[in-house]
Amino acid sequence: MVRALIFSIVLLSSFMLAGQSSQAEYLEAKRQYSLQNYKAAMQSFQSLSGDKNFGEYASFYYALSALKLNQPKVAEDMFKQIQTKYPNWDKQSEVDFWLTYTAFVQQNFWSAFRRAEKLPEDWKDYLIDSYLSNMPFTGLDSAYTLNPENVYLAKYLFKAINNQPYEERNQLRLIELSEKFDISLIPSADLPFIKKEKYAVAVVLPFMFETLETPQSVIRNSIIFDLYQGMLFAQQELFDSGIHVELFPFDTQKKGATTYDLIKENKLDNSDVIIGPLYSGPSKYINQFSKDKKVTMVNPLSSNDGIIADNPYSYLFKPSYATQGRKAAKYAAEKFADNKKLFIFYETNRDSIMAQSYLETIEKDSFFVIRFERLTDEDALQIQKDFTEQYEVRLDTMYSQDEIDSIALIPGRLVRTRSLRNEETGKIMRDEEGEEIPEYYEVKFTIPADSIGHVFAATSSNLLANNLISLAEVRSDSIGIIGYEDWLDFSLISYSQLERLQVDFVNPSYFDNESYKYEDLVTDFISEIGREPSEYHIYGYELLKHIGVMMEKHGKYFQRGLIDGTYQSGFIMEGLKYGIYNDNQVVPITTLKGLQLQNQNTKQEVEGANED
């Protein structure tokens, strides 16, 4: 008994001494850690990692020491070991936090964001923000390239691009991020406020002054002169309101070499804004000049955003083809929400840009594109055949006339009757009383009624448009059609047809010709030049009026008033809205009502529109 008691006391004492020794070693390791002697601390913590009293904490601090010594993989392995070895430890949430951190440090973003989603919301936000907000732009750009579906990287990359100097921003990447992830951050203007008493606007267009002696050239160039004449009208109105804008016309003659000479001879050096050019040759030189000299340029007529290139000072007055497709799709997603199946047809390469943009946008709203095809005039008859081809369905039921009339009220249903004939002889069959036996049947379309919600037809072909309208007339369902404003000028299609079918038109050039503003402008034009304004008069007038009013408020870099995405009400046309884009985002979608066009796409005009 005595011997057993002595043995127990000795054994207990040895355990107590061992515990005291572990505690002393742990406290020394913590002291080394607090003194930032992380290497020595790691060695001590490692020897205690299996200790029954201090194993969890020693392992944890071992991993933290490894992080301090820039050994994230060693830290990660130890944190994972803690999860496996001590699953019930009450500090496992902190282990999760540091495992997420080590994944970020090693730029293993897939693992990092996956782990971050399991953290408490405030921890997750803190960790993501503390790491990504300090990440250099090149690192964010590379990380997003490798993880193009990650919304967090996208948002921080957007911020990083937006914080770059204005002329260095990748506008295309900003647009990509904004559209893909629905990022609505307001871009920074980062442009100087330069207020002047007079502003010099260079109008760089193919006036072709040297060929004006030829009547054909005068007729062909009437577009340019109407455009410039519209600017002159706006210039006078601006002057009358105290805004001084001087216009300096320069003739490019449609030649790159001529345009280069203008630059070489320093004729554009004093320009505050450049309007034009129109053609690719001159545009190449003016675009580079604009970027180098930081002079804003605006193309008054083009919808080809390719001419903007990488120049943040280059703008389109009209919406680009891609923007038109995107806005049309957003409109269609609301209008045809009850039937999400559609066909998309396009004709030219230009049309394909709009069609592709339409496709990508509407698929995001869960629409199903059954056919996406390039068409030519030769395909027109086949399209009509596809939509109007019918087949008969015999009905076994006998119907009264009242029942037939009732069924006819159902869209796409029409019960018909005829005399039943013997299949072999073809003779009319009769009942016992000699009366003809009726046969009941329906005629159905190969493409079932209401199986397609709408068709988007990106084409300026008279024949293709006419066939689409004709097939919609033949069918008994309510298939919708969205086309181009050009269709309104086609002789084969009547306004009454278009109104009856409620065809929508992508109509970026739309203006209300019944508004009092337009009527006043018509009166002024007739008084001054003896005729009503053409659409190109309207473009020139509207463009310069906007530029002048915005320069008065925002200075030489009038786009300071556009970059925040504020909608600017139009003077005659529908208005301007840009934001991160360098093309106008206002795209009227029109429909005929009472044989007059009405803009249906007014939701794009944001609340709090600028009074300008």
Side-chain angles (χ1 to χ4, degrees):
M1 289 284 293
V2 173
R3 286 182 179 179
L5 181 60
I6 293 173
F7 177 77
S8 298
I9 292 172
V10 171
L11 186 62
L12 179 62
S13 298
S14 65
F15 279 137
M16 291 177 64
L17 289 172
Q20 291 174 356
S21 175
S22 296
Q23 183 179 15
E25 189 174 356
Y26 176 75
L27 291 174
E28 175 59 20
K30 284 289 297 291
R31 190 178 74 85
Q32 294 296 331
Y33 182 87
S34 64
L35 293 174
Q36 300 182 12
N37 296 327
Y38 300 118
K39 189 174 182 179
M42 274 186 75
Q43 292 175 347
S44 297
F45 286 131
Q46 185 176 27
S47 64
L48 291 167
S49 61
D51 188 88
K52 67 177 182 179
N53 294 314
F54 298 100
E56 298 99 322
Y57 286 97
S59 299
F60 184 78
Y61 279 101
Y62 173 88
L64 291 182
S65 299
L67 281 176
K68 294 291 187 179
L69 292 173
N70 197 27
Q71 299 176 22
K73 187 64 175 70
V74 174
E76 179 186 20
D77 291 342
M78 181 55 81
F79 283 130
K80 288 181 177 178
Q81 184 176 316
I82 293 172
Q83 287 184 325
T84 303
K85 194 172 181 179
Y86 307 110
N88 298 320
W89 190 36
D90 61 359
K91 304 297 183 185
Q92 283 292 352
S93 59
E94 293 184 34
V95 174
D96 291 334
F97 176 90
W98 287 107
L99 264 174
T100 307
Y101 176 81
T102 58
F104 273 119
V105 170
Q106 296 175 89
Q107 296 194 4
N108 184 354
F109 294 110
W110 183 85
S111 175
F113 288 110
R114 183 173 59 84
R115 290 182 177 281
E117 291 300 330
K118 299 177 181 179
L119 297 176
E121 199 68 24
D122 55 339
W123 286 18
K124 179 184 76 174
D125 292 342
Y126 168 78
L127 193 54
I128 291 174
D129 184 68
S130 62
Y131 186 76
L132 295 185
S133 61
N134 293 312
M135 198 171 180
F137 169 74
T138 53
L140 278 170
D141 194 43
S142 299
Y144 174 75
T145 301
L146 294 172
N147 302 269
E149 302 303 320
N150 191 288
V151 65
Y152 297 107
L153 285 171
K155 287 182 177 179
Y156 279 87
L157 178 58
F158 189 102
K159 288 181 181 179
I161 296 173
N162 191 41
N163 289 332
Q164 289 186 306
Y166 184 77
E167 62 273 12
E168 295 179 14
R169 291 178 194 163
N170 186 334
Q171 293 295 125
L172 294 179
R173 181 56 70 88
L174 277 178
I175 292 170
E176 173 200 336
L177 296 171
S178 175
E179 293 178 358
K180 186 175 181 179
F181 297 97
D182 196 25
I183 299 174
S184 58
L185 298 174
I186 297 176
S188 165
D190 192 31
L191 287 166
F193 178 71
I194 302 174
K195 184 79 170 178
K196 303 175 74 172
E197 291 185 4
K198 291 183 179 180
Y199 295 96
V201 176
V203 184
V204 184
L205 296 173
F207 290 100
M208 310 300 287
F209 291 130
E210 296 178 1
T211 64
L212 294 183
E213 298 171 357
T214 308
Q216 291 83 357
S217 298
V218 174
I219 295 172
R220 194 166 50 242
N221 229 33
S222 62
I223 289 175
I224 305 303
F225 288 117
D226 285 359
L227 189 67
Y228 186 65
Q229 200 166 35
M231 295 181 203
L232 291 173
F233 263 79
Q235 180 190 34
Q236 184 60 50
E237 286 191 8
L238 291 168
F239 180 80
D240 292 342
S241 64
I243 302 172
H244 298 278
V245 176
E246 295 183 301
L247 296 179
F248 298 92
F250 295 98
D251 188 4
T252 65
Q253 299 181 9
K254 303 181 183 178
K255 298 176 182 177
T258 302
T259 308
Y260 176 74
D261 288 341
L262 293 174
I263 297 171
K264 188 177 180 181
E265 294 167 10
N266 303 320
K267 292 186 176 180
L268 303 176
D269 285 3
N270 295 322
S271 303
D272 295 309
V273 176
I274 297 172
I275 295 177
L278 300 184
Y279 294 93
S280 58
S283 290
K284 178 178 66 174
Y285 292 106
I286 296 297
N287 204 38
Q288 192 60 50
F289 173 85
S290 162
K291 186 177 181 181
D292 293 342
K293 299 295 184 179
K294 300 181 181 180
V295 178
T296 305
M297 63 179 288
V298 184
N299 187 299
L301 299 180
S302 180
S303 290
N304 177 14
D305 57 6
I307 65 176
I308 295 172
D310 61 346
N311 179 11
Y313 296 92
S314 179
Y315 287 83
L316 301 182
F317 177 54
K318 298 177 73 174
S320 69
Y321 299 127
T323 295
Q324 292 178 47
R326 187 174 69 254
K327 294 291 185 178
K330 289 182 177 180
Y331 167 78
E334 291 190 17
K335 180 174 181 178
F336 304 110
D338 292 338
N339 190 335
K340 295 193 172 186
K341 294 180 180 179
L342 70 144
F343 289 173
I344 299 177
F345 299 128
Y346 63 95
E347 184 185 6
T348 66
N349 290 337
R350 183 203 78 173
D351 300 327
S352 71
I353 297 172
M354 195 181 299
Q356 185 65 37
S357 177
Y358 193 97
L359 170 74
E360 293 172 358
T361 304
I362 206 158
E363 283 187 332
K364 291 179 182 177
D365 282 302
S366 302
F367 277 69
F368 179 58
V369 180
I370 298 173
R371 290 174 66 177
F372 182 82
E373 298 177 17
R374 180 190 289 271
L375 299 177
T376 64
D377 283 349
E378 289 72 29
D379 300 314
L381 292 176
Q382 184 60 46
I383 296 173
Q384 192 171 32
K385 181 181 178 182
D386 290 346
F387 275 87
T388 59
E389 194 172 58
Q390 298 175 318
Y391 63 96
E392 288 185 1
V393 178
R394 290 185 178 180
L395 305 174
D396 296 330
T397 307
M398 301 282 286
Y399 292 99
S400 68
Q401 189 57 50
D402 287 343
E403 289 173 326
I404 291 174
D405 293 341
S406 179
I407 292 172
L409 298 175
I410 303 172
R413 296 287 306 276
L414 183 61
V415 175
R416 303 181 184 184
T417 63
R418 63 188 172 200
S419 297
L420 181 64
R421 293 179 179 271
N422 186 290
E423 292 184 359
E424 294 182 1
T425 64
K427 291 183 178 182
I428 294 176
M429 300 181 66
R430 300 178 182 275
D431 59 19
E432 295 177 355
E433 298 177 357
E435 297 291 331
E436 294 182 3
I437 300 175
E439 176 184 25
Y440 298 87
Y441 68 100
E442 284 190 67
V443 175
K444 294 182 176 292
F445 289 102
T446 303
I447 296 177
D450 295 315
S451 61
I452 304 298
H454 74 283
V455 174
F456 178 67
T459 175
S460 295
S461 165
N462 194 334
L463 184 60
L464 285 171
N466 181 60
N467 277 279
L468 286 169
I469 297 301
S470 297
L471 69 86
E473 288 269 53
V474 171
R475 293 177 64 88
S476 55
D477 55 2
S478 56
I479 188 168
I481 297 177
I482 300 180
Y484 285 172
E485 61 179 309
D486 307 24
W487 295 14
L488 295 163
D489 300 324
F490 292 162
S491 58
L492 296 176
I493 305 173
S494 69
Y495 271 31
S496 58
Q497 276 183 301
L498 296 172
E499 180 170 345
R500 185 167 58 253
L501 297 171
Q502 284 297 285
V503 176
D504 295 301
F505 310 99
V506 181
N507 199 343
S509 304
Y510 169 77
F511 57 88
D512 184 0
N513 58 12
E514 292 194 333
S515 70
Y516 73 89
K517 292 180 181 179
Y518 177 74
E519 290 176 356
D520 288 345
L521 190 65
V522 169
T523 301
D524 292 341
F525 262 78
I526 293 175
S527 174
E528 290 290 328
I529 64 174
R531 68 184 181 98
E532 293 188 3
S534 70
E535 63 176 307
Y536 295 99
H537 281 122
I538 301 299
Y539 295 156
Y541 172 86
E542 186 84 7
L543 172 57
L544 191 71
K545 195 78 181 287
H546 273 295
I547 290 175
V549 169
M550 286 192 290
M551 285 196 296
E552 174 68 13
K553 186 173 183 180
H554 301 285
K556 169 182 172 178
Y557 293 109
F558 64 86
Q559 62 266 45
R560 286 165 51 88
L562 298 173
I563 289 175
D564 65 356
T566 300
Y567 168 74
Q568 310 283 338
S569 299
F571 299 98
I572 301 297
M573 301 178 72
E574 288 298 286
L576 303 178
K577 185 180 178 185
Y578 284 79
I580 62 171
Y581 300 91
N582 283 49
D583 65 303
N584 190 4
Q585 298 299 293
V586 176
V587 182
I589 308 294
T590 56
T591 305
L592 284 165
K593 290 189 177 180
L595 300 182
Q596 290 292 326
L597 285 175
Q598 294 186 9
N599 183 13
Q600 305 298 312
N601 201 22
T602 54
K603 288 186 178 180
Q604 61 191 308
E605 299 172 8
V606 297
E607 294 180 2
N610 192 312
E611 288 301 318
D612 292 343

